[in-house]
Structure formats: structure tokens, C-alpha cells
Amino acid sequence: MRKLTAPLSREDALSLRAGEQILLSGTVYTARDAAHLRMLDLLAAGKPLPVELEGQVIYYAGPTPTPEGRPVGSIGPTTSVRMDAMTPALLAQGLRGMIGKGGRSAEVVEAMKRHGAVYFAAVGGAAALMASCVTSLEVVCWDDLGPESVKRLTLQDLPLVVAIDAQGNDAFALGQAEYLRSREERHES
């Protein structure tokens, strides 16, 4: 299993391959629908974003309230397609990686290829495991959004799979094709 540290360089993103398992450490930011909309509003108004996106990774998550003595409550991935309409604009700002669950639209994959970005899949239903990999959390902006505020997380060995690499290879599609090929071979023998 390969270890990576965020923020990511373009070279880091370009070196990853769909299906590769990684352990991600370093700094990432949380942002979901409401935060994405506010970022797009700032871009449309020609104003700076609250976070410099160059090389950054956004984790599509809205953590639960933090229990005493812990840096974060449960923090499972959000379905990524909810951010698809807004993602290409953030990729154009240098966003290098995204963490979520589920597939992505063709438009997002094309923008990832154009900007050298990668999409990681986190394990859905394992929010407590994800939380155990967070060593610190700080609200960066838009506290009024509650769980959807932008937060800076420090991670230690968050287990992820490269779902879509910077060349546009999709682990979901590759896995399905491999399964179907294997099934056909079993039926032929």
C-alpha cells in the first residue's frame, strides 16, 4: 500500500493509477454542497477563496459533532456526484484531489484529465474508521453551515482507493469489466 502526503503535487496525482490502494496523511479540507456553492459565488464575484486550492485535496464529508477528547466525530464520505456541477471550476483553481464515494460525471473526469487531478474513494459505512485517522480539525470558514463548514483536517494514514486517476481511468468501470470477463471465462470452461 502506497503512502501519500497532502497537499499533492501534480506529479503525485499523475503517478497514481485507478485501483491503487493508498494511505493518505497530511492536510485536507472538508467541503460539501453548500460550501461549494459559496466558493463558486466568490469566484463569480472575482473574490479570493478562503483556501488556496493549488495542490489541495477536498474530502466530501460533514463530520458529526465532536465527542469530548476526540478531534472529530464520525466522518464518512458523501456521495460525490452531488458536487459534480461545481467541481470543474474548483479543479481549474488547482484542486488536486477529491475524496468521496460513488462515480463521477464525464465532465468531471475530463476536467480531472485537463488539470491533473485524482479522485479517491473512501469506504462508505466506515465513518468511525475514517475518524480514527483524523488527528486534528479546525473550522476554516462558514461556521454557520455547521457540519458543512469548511474544515482543515490533519490525517494519518486514511485508507483510500484511487477511484479515477488523472488519465481518466475509472476503477469502478475497470472492476466491472474484469468481473464480467472472469464470469464469461468461467461459463466457457
Side-chain angles (χ1 to χ4, degrees), residues 41-172:
D41 288 345
L42 288 173
L43 290 174
K47 295 181 179 175
L49 295 176
V51 173
E52 169 58 50
L53 289 182
E54 184 63 42
Q56 299 301 337
V57 175
I58 289 180
Y59 183 10
Y60 302 141
T64 64
T66 303
E68 191 169 327
R70 304 286 314 265
V72 67
S74 294
I75 186 165
T78 297
T79 303
S80 302
V81 72
R82 291 172 39 186
M83 274 56 72
D84 277 6
M86 301 167 278
T87 299
L90 300 183
L91 290 167
Q93 297 297 309
L95 180 64
R96 190 70 59 220
M98 300 146 291
I99 303 169
K101 66 180 179 182
R104 304 307 299 262
S105 69
E107 293 78 19
V108 169
V109 174
E110 284 306 311
M112 289 171 56
K113 289 166 49 178
R114 195 168 42 256
H115 298 291
V118 63
Y119 170 55
F120 301 105
V123 178
L129 168 66
M130 301 293 142
S132 73
C133 299
V134 177
T135 61
S136 71
L137 175 147
E138 174 189 358
V139 175
V140 174
C141 63
W142 303 321
D143 197 31
D144 62 301
L145 295 178
E148 290 204 36
S149 63
V150 174
K151 296 168 183 64
R152 181 181 300 111
L153 305 177
T154 304
L155 302 178
Q156 183 64 47
D157 292 338
L158 181 71
L160 302 168
V161 173
V162 178
I164 303 172
D165 64 30
Q167 291 75 36
N169 300 305
D170 184 330
F172 299 115

